Amino acid sequence: MEAVVTTELTKSEMEVILLEHEIAELEMDVERTMRTLIDEPKYELPTLGFAIRGADAVRETYRRIMRTVVDRDIAAEMRVHAIAANTLIREAVVSMNLADGRRVSGTYSVIMSFDAEQKKITGERMYMDTNFAAYMTEQLGDDFSEVPGVTALADVLPNIARHDAFAVAERKGKEFNDPRLAANA
C-alpha cells in the first residue's frame, strides 16, 4: 500500500501547530519557537515596512519581541480564525503595558502559511493597528533594519503593472472599461 502524502492541512491541524508556537512564545523560549518553523522562514511586517528572511533574522526578531512578554503582560484574544490552503488567518485583540505603565489594547491580523509535509510554519505576515505597531517598534529597536536578513518590504515585493480584477473580469466574460486605456488613446 502506498503512503498518502498530505498536501493540505486542516484548520485543526494548523491550530495545533499554532498552539505549540504560541506556547513557546509565551514561555519566552526562542529555540522552541524556532522549532515550529521551517528552516528558512519568511516573515513580513507590512505596517512597519519590514521583510524578514531566514532563520537567523527571524530568531533575532523573536529574541527582541519576547524579552518583555512578562514585564509588559502581553495578552491576546482571538476574534477570527479563517483558512485557505495551508494558510491560517488569525485576527486578535492584544493588550499590553506600555513603558509608562499604561495598559492599552490594539489589534493585529496575522496570515500564517504552513508546510503540510513538515507540519511547520513557513512564514507570517502581520498587520497591526497603531497601538500594537508602536509596541512592536519599541521592542524591535531602532537598529532592527540593520539585522542581517531584514530589509525594506518594498524591496522584495513585485511591481504590479495591471490590477488583477481586469484579468478576472476577462476570464468571466465581463465588460470592464479600463480608464487608463481611454486616457492613452
Side-chain angles (χ1 to χ4, degrees):
M1 180 174 251
E2 248 181 74
V4 176
V5 177
T6 303
T7 58
E8 195 168 316
L9 296 170
T10 66
K11 180 179 178 222
S12 295
E13 289 171 321
M14 290 185 282
E15 288 175 331
V16 166
I17 298 164
L18 174 59
L19 180 59
E20 174 60 25
H21 182 78
E22 288 181 320
I23 289 170
E25 286 178 332
L26 292 170
E27 290 180 353
M28 300 177 1
D29 188 333
V30 173
E31 292 311 312
R32 183 175 169 193
T33 302
M34 294 302 295
R35 287 192 296 274
T36 66
L37 308 176
I38 63 167
D39 290 342
E40 291 299 315
K42 294 180 178 180
Y43 277 47
E44 294 177 358
L45 303 175
T47 309
L48 305 179
F50 292 120
I52 306 159
R53 300 294 190 256
D56 290 341
V58 171
R59 179 178 286 107
E60 178 60 15
T61 302
Y62 279 117
R63 189 190 68 73
R64 289 173 182 232
I65 64 176
M66 282 185 192
R67 61 186 169 199
T68 62
V69 167
V70 173
D71 296 344
R72 296 301 182 86
D73 194 18
I74 301 298
E77 186 172 295
M78 176 190 61
R79 294 164 86 175
V80 175
H81 263 187
I83 63 168
N86 295 321
T87 304
L88 181 65
I89 301 166
R90 173 185 166 92
E91 179 193 40
V93 173
V94 60
S95 298
M96 71 230 74
N97 297 333
L98 299 180
D100 66 9
R102 289 180 298 133
R103 185 140 182 96
V104 299
S105 293
T107 61
Y108 68 80
S109 294
V110 61
I111 302 165
M112 291 162 277
S113 56
F114 294 81
D115 181 293
E117 289 182 31
Q118 294 183 56
K119 296 200 175 10
K120 292 186 175 193
I121 298 168
T122 61
E124 294 186 14
R125 187 176 320 109
M126 179 181 271
Y127 298 90
M128 304 162 245
D129 81 326
T130 54
N131 280 339
F132 194 55
Y135 168 81
M136 287 289 284
T137 298
E138 177 190 338
Q139 298 315 302
L140 293 172
D142 293 338
D143 64 338
F144 186 65
S145 63
E146 299 167 26
V147 171
V150 174
T151 60
L153 182 57
D155 292 345
V156 300
L157 293 177
N159 191 329
I160 309 300
R162 186 172 188 238
H163 198 292
D164 60 1
F166 291 105
V168 172
E170 289 167 7
R171 284 194 306 270
K172 296 188 182 271
K174 289 199 78 73
E175 293 274 335
F176 202 137
N177 297 317
D178 186 343
R180 294 176 303 169
L181 296 177
N184 294 329

